[in-house]
Amino acid sequence: MTNRKTVLIIGAGPAGLIAAYDLIKQNTQPIVLEKADRVGGISRTETYKGYRFDIGGHRFYTKVGEVQQLWLEILGNNFLKVPRLSRIYYNGKFFNYPLEVNNALSNLGFINSLLMLFSYLQAKIKPHPVEENFEQWVCNRFGKRLYETFFKTYTEKVWGISCTEIRADWAAQRIQGMSLKRVILDSLVKNHQTKSLIKEFYYPELGPGMMWEKCQEIITNQGGIVHLNTEVNKIYHQHNQIQKITVQQENQTFDLQADEFISSMPISALILKLEPPAPTAVLQAARSLKYRDFLIVALIIDAVDLFPDNWIYIHSPEFKVGRIQNFKNWSLAMVPDSSKTCLGMEYFCSEGDELWSRSDSELIEFASREIVDLSLLSNINKIEDGTVIRQLKAYPVYDQEYRQHLQVIQDYLQGFDNLQTIGRNGMHRYNNQDHSMLTGLLAAKNVLGENHDLWDVNTERSYYEEFTKKDLRKNN
């Protein structure tokens, strides 16, 4: 390979692999470092006795045309088109999601529905004058009673903090364009659909890991390098340049040098690995960023079919499970025996807390009891087996102070001439998979001489307007 530059990429998730993929197409050698034993990051596919499951569900849906083209270019025809079916479990009843007026009225009853409408009208007449936190943002669009029913309990289960401690940024990013008025229009007006909701999506036949394993294969076949089980120890810098990285691979420690560096590792960890150390204020900002961890209990059940949903949100606070994935309803190939079902019981937690610290056997037993208590399975004896996967730093937390800490870090890192950060954890931003890919793609284009602001990805404009090739190259 007669490359112009060598680029070292930390992290083999969607962002890092897409950066490497685009670089290899441009005759530039990427070297990818991945701490885990497989590629994909939190978009990987885990396997257990032939059963395949996601670390959460990972849909392939985007309004970014160039990202869509990359998916098809890498994986070809190995995508399924899957109809979306998801519901909310609350107070012993199932609500369609996206919410539908008739279904919601039936479940809530006339009096509750009337009170919710009155609460909504109150919010329209006298809204919160500021929208600094999640509660204020949602109440202004749905009213307090509907917020307490369909948003508060689940959101606090996910983040482990009060909704008043979560920045409005997260609501604006995740549920932009939604309001009670739009919910009613979606239900009553044919072909009207809120922009942030979709009715079908693409999904690799063998799970999202299929996509990233194929991407890894293409990169290595064309001269790129992907090091697995490789942890970054130190990142050395001088005169606004990253000079080299010291890595640990099994019992070996060695240095790697490159012309350009791209990182998708947690941005806080990146700061803490710099040598010489970052200024005190930057170190303090890095230590102040918070993350939410995650574990999934995969249950193998002796039942052909349990429920039709791809996933179910569990809003009722008496259950610890936050979401339940039915992987067979994503792709039949995820389950090796068609007479069985594999459910993913998802728990949001923090490393070292009571739930995280339970043994695998205790978690399997606990998840088994919850699925029965939810009336989604009638007989606990139908559960034949299970396994547990723990995922650190699955979600960057948008608490009250995150923005100021992130700005300190961002300002400092922009002083480096040959370093870019990408992806969900690399930018401490709750990116979807396609937005993580887009940051990787644009970082690769920057290496090759273009000029894109990665921090503009997943702003309101970039979330809802399709990027075209013309958009991507506008700064050339």
Side-chain angles (χ1 to χ4, degrees):
M1 179 176 289
T2 56
N3 55 298
R4 294 171 294 183
K5 293 180 178 179
T6 298
V7 184
L8 198 150
I9 300 168
I10 303 173
L17 286 177
I18 285 300
Y21 178 79
D22 194 64
L23 288 167
I24 206 81
K25 290 201 300 182
Q26 305 300 324
N27 203 32
T28 298
Q29 185 178 43
I31 301 170
V32 184
L33 310 178
E34 173 54 50
K35 182 178 178 180
D37 63 354
R38 69 187 69 191
V39 298
I42 63 170
S43 293
R44 69 189 184 276
T45 299
E46 291 282 351
T47 57
Y48 177 73
K49 296 183 179 179
Y51 291 85
R52 306 174 70 87
F53 51 93
D54 297 3
I55 309 303
H58 290 277
R59 294 169 286 166
F60 283 70
Y61 172 81
T62 186
K63 294 185 178 181
V64 183
E66 195 145 325
V67 169
Q68 176 80 13
Q69 181 58 39
L70 283 171
W71 288 345
L72 299 174
E73 192 176 298
I74 293 169
L75 205 54
N77 296 322
N78 291 304
F79 281 104
L80 305 173
K81 184 173 280 190
V82 181
R84 170 182 173 149
L85 177 59
S86 58
R87 289 180 293 170
I88 293 169
Y89 177 94
Y90 180 76
N91 199 24
K93 295 181 179 179
F94 289 93
F95 294 80
N96 294 337
Y97 186 78
L99 293 174
E100 295 176 359
V101 171
N102 290 340
N103 171 259
L105 289 174
S106 174
N107 282 337
L108 291 169
F110 179 74
I111 299 299
N112 273 336
S113 299
L114 199 62
L115 289 171
M116 282 187 179
L117 181 60
F118 180 69
S119 175
Y120 170 74
L121 293 174
Q122 280 185 313
K124 294 294 103 179
I125 294 168
K126 192 176 180 181
H128 286 285
V130 295
E131 292 183 353
E132 293 181 344
N133 62 51
F134 181 88
E135 180 174 299
Q136 292 166 341
W137 193 97
V138 176
C139 284
N140 276 355
R141 285 156 183 78
F142 291 91
K144 188 170 184 179
R145 288 187 70 93
L146 199 146
Y147 153 75
E148 289 176 340
T149 300
F150 292 114
F151 292 92
K152 184 178 189 297
T153 55
Y154 180 77
T155 302
E156 292 183 350
K157 190 181 293 190
V158 171
W159 297 110
I161 57 176
S162 167
C163 287
T164 59
E165 297 178 64
I166 301 169
R167 294 284 308 188
D169 306 35
W170 184 76
Q173 183 179 323
R174 301 301 294 179
I175 51 178
Q176 179 71 29
M178 289 181 65
S179 66
L180 185 58
K181 177 181 176 182
R182 286 186 179 273
V183 168
I184 294 171
L185 283 173
D186 289 348
S187 297
L188 302 180
V189 181
K190 186 177 181 181
N191 296 327
H192 187 280
Q193 187 179 359
T194 300
K195 290 180 179 180
S196 63
L197 302 174
I198 60 171
K199 293 184 177 179
E200 61 182 14
F201 54 87
Y202 288 98
Y203 189 73
E205 185 178 11
L206 296 176
M210 184 182 188
M211 168 80 175
W212 305 117
E213 289 155 17
K214 180 63 176 178
C215 190
Q216 176 191 13
E217 179 186 325
I218 293 170
I219 291 165
T220 55
N221 284 346
Q222 296 190 24
I225 299 169
V226 179
H227 288 295
L228 301 178
N229 299 303
T230 303
E231 184 170 4
V232 173
N233 285 344
K234 286 289 182 182
I235 301 172
Y236 293 90
H237 64 97
Q238 187 178 18
H239 305 310
N240 300 325
Q241 293 268 332
I242 304 298
Q243 302 292 322
K244 66 178 181 179
I245 293 182
T246 301
V247 301
Q248 181 83 29
Q249 191 179 75
E250 297 179 350
N251 297 323
Q252 256 186 317
T253 301
F254 54 92
D255 293 339
L256 290 171
Q257 293 179 307
D259 301 297
E260 298 279 347
F261 296 82
I262 298 172
S263 173
S264 65
M265 73 189 301
I267 199 168
S268 56
L270 172 70
I271 292 295
L272 297 176
K273 290 180 184 293
L274 289 173
E275 187 63 42
T280 302
V282 180
L283 291 172
Q284 181 58 42
R287 293 188 179 107
S288 299
L289 290 180
K290 297 181 178 65
Y291 299 85
R292 190 67 163 156
D293 305 316
F294 169 93
L295 65 83
I296 182 168
V297 182
L299 299 176
I300 298 169
I301 301 170
D302 183 20
V304 174
D305 185 35
L306 290 175
F307 51 84
D309 309 73
N310 309 112
W311 66 91
I312 298 174
Y313 300 101
I314 309 301
H315 284 215
S316 294
E318 64 267 27
F319 296 98
K320 286 189 179 292
V321 64
R323 191 170 53 189
I324 302 174
Q325 303 287 346
N326 190 338
F327 295 113
K328 192 175 182 180
N329 292 342
W330 290 69
S331 168
L332 293 174
M334 299 288 280
V335 177
D337 184 342
S338 61
S339 69
K340 313 291 184 185
T341 294
C342 181
L343 299 183
M345 305 285 285
E346 299 181 359
Y347 294 90
F348 307 100
C349 48
S350 297
E351 183 184 15
D353 70 12
E354 187 272 335
L355 193 62
W356 181 274
S357 300
R358 293 188 188 188
S359 68
D360 288 3
S361 59
E362 288 172 329
L363 286 167
I364 292 167
E365 181 183 352
F366 180 73
S368 299
R369 289 200 306 271
E370 289 215 308
I371 197 68
V372 172
D373 291 343
L374 284 161
S375 299
L376 293 171
L377 179 67
S378 59
N379 187 346
I380 198 169
N381 293 324
K382 289 281 188 179
I383 300 173
E384 296 183 339
D385 202 354
T387 190
V388 178
I389 299 293
R390 292 171 172 81
Q391 178 65 49
L392 291 167
K393 292 182 170 61
Y395 307 104
V397 174
Y398 282 36
D399 61 12
Q400 291 175 321
E401 299 177 341
Y402 98 95
R403 187 191 289 169
Q404 67 192 58
H405 297 314
L406 185 58
Q407 191 62 57
V408 169
I409 295 169
Q410 187 180 342
D411 290 345
Y412 174 70
L413 290 180
Q414 284 178 341
F416 289 94
D417 299 327
N418 64 341
L419 172 66
Q420 301 178 82
T421 62
I422 58 174
R424 176 180 284 192
N425 279 339
M427 304 177 80
H428 202 82
R429 178 174 288 174
Y430 200 140
N431 285 328
N432 285 333
Q433 183 174 226
D434 61 327
H435 293 120
S436 291
M437 291 173 65
L438 184 58
T439 62
L441 180 65
L442 297 183
K445 293 182 183 298
N446 286 345
V447 167
L448 299 170
E450 299 186 17
N451 181 25
H452 300 283
D453 183 359
L454 306 186
W455 293 91
D456 190 44
V457 174
N458 207 358
T459 60
E460 182 176 348
R461 183 190 74 82
S462 64
Y463 193 89
Y464 295 111
E465 294 180 17
E466 181 174 354
F467 275 79
T468 64
K469 292 186 178 182
K470 180 179 178 181
D471 294 325
L472 289 167
R473 296 182 173 86
K474 65 182 178 181
N475 292 322
N476 260 11

